[in-house]
Amino acid sequence: MPGFDPFLMQLFIVPAVVIGVGVFVASLTKKVVLAPVVTLLLNLLYEIWYAKFYYQYDAIHFSSWNIILPVLSLGIAWIVVTVIKQNKTI
């Protein structure tokens, strides 16, 4: 199959995209809680798509990234939203 290496996708590209979108949504709405929710939903959708359509598995097994990525997203979004709120008060 042409495209990216699955190792590269799972380790670099997917985390960067799902965390980036989660933090972006949180920065737009100024609600930190939305970042891990969006990150989790996007990563779950990716894992379902990957298991069903790429490997055609019948059973879906979710990875530990579904815990790690939302936690990272929460931390990054908290920092970004705090900085945005502080800059608006200056």
Side-chain angles (χ1 to χ4, degrees):
M1 176 179 155
F4 292 105
D5 179 37
F7 177 76
L8 182 67
M9 283 290 291
Q10 189 69 22
L11 196 58
F12 296 108
I13 297 170
V14 172
V17 170
V18 299
I19 289 174
V21 171
V23 171
F24 179 71
V25 168
S27 67
L28 285 179
T29 61
K30 312 290 187 289
K31 296 180 190 250
V32 176
V33 175
L34 288 178
V37 172
V38 170
T39 301
L40 177 62
L41 289 176
L42 289 176
N43 197 54
L44 285 172
L45 286 173
Y46 171 74
E47 287 189 2
I48 291 169
W49 170 80
Y50 191 73
K52 286 289 186 184
F53 298 111
Y54 186 71
Y55 281 119
Q56 299 175 347
Y57 288 153
D58 291 331
I60 297 172
H61 301 284
F62 295 116
S63 68
S64 60
W65 286 112
N66 291 311
I67 297 170
I68 297 167
L69 295 180
V71 170
L72 288 172
S73 178
L74 178 66
I76 295 169
W78 180 72
I79 292 167
V80 168
V81 170
T82 302
V83 168
I84 289 172
K85 287 181 179 179
Q86 286 178 353
N87 286 340
K88 284 200 171 194
T89 60
I90 294 177

